Amino acid sequence: MDNKTRNLIIVGIVFCIVIACLSPFLASGDPDGLEKSAEDSKVPETLEGSTFHFESPMPDYTIGETSVGAIGALIIGAIITLLLAYGFAFVLKKQ
């Protein structure tokens, strides 16, 4: 990996972290999108009586109840996404 590519990746990671730190303070407190549609359709949050049960590791996109938990969840999500994309690109490059 050359310096230009490495610097681009570093700038991208820093940009993701800055957005993750600012977004909990800029995001609307009112639910919208998929969550709002589910609430309007009265879709239950859990399926009662279902044999399949999955507990989300970061429910409502946060760890805990504070803004720090939301920032942490966003940073972890961004890092996981970047690592998956890097791994996918690495596999495709080998082929």
Side-chain angles (χ1 to χ4, degrees):
M1 183 181 327
D2 62 345
N3 282 340
K4 185 176 180 182
T5 304
R6 185 175 297 123
N7 289 342
L8 180 63
I9 290 172
I10 291 170
V11 168
I13 291 171
V14 169
F15 186 71
C16 287
I17 291 172
V18 168
I19 289 174
C21 291
L22 293 177
S23 62
F25 305 107
L26 300 175
S28 173
D30 298 325
D32 59 327
L34 183 60
E35 188 170 344
K36 177 67 172 159
S37 298
E39 287 176 3
D40 291 346
S41 301
K42 298 186 181 9
V43 175
E45 295 226 5
T46 60
L47 298 174
E48 297 294 330
S50 174
T51 57
F52 176 75
H53 181 68
F54 177 74
E55 188 71 31
S56 174
M58 292 183 270
D60 291 331
Y61 313 105
T62 187
I63 302 169
E65 298 292 324
T66 64
S67 295
V68 175
I71 292 169
L74 288 166
I75 291 173
I76 290 169
I79 290 171
I80 290 171
T81 303
L82 290 170
L83 289 174
L84 286 172
Y86 184 76
F88 187 68
F90 183 76
V91 169
L92 288 178
K93 185 178 178 182
K94 285 233 174 208
Q95 294 178 355

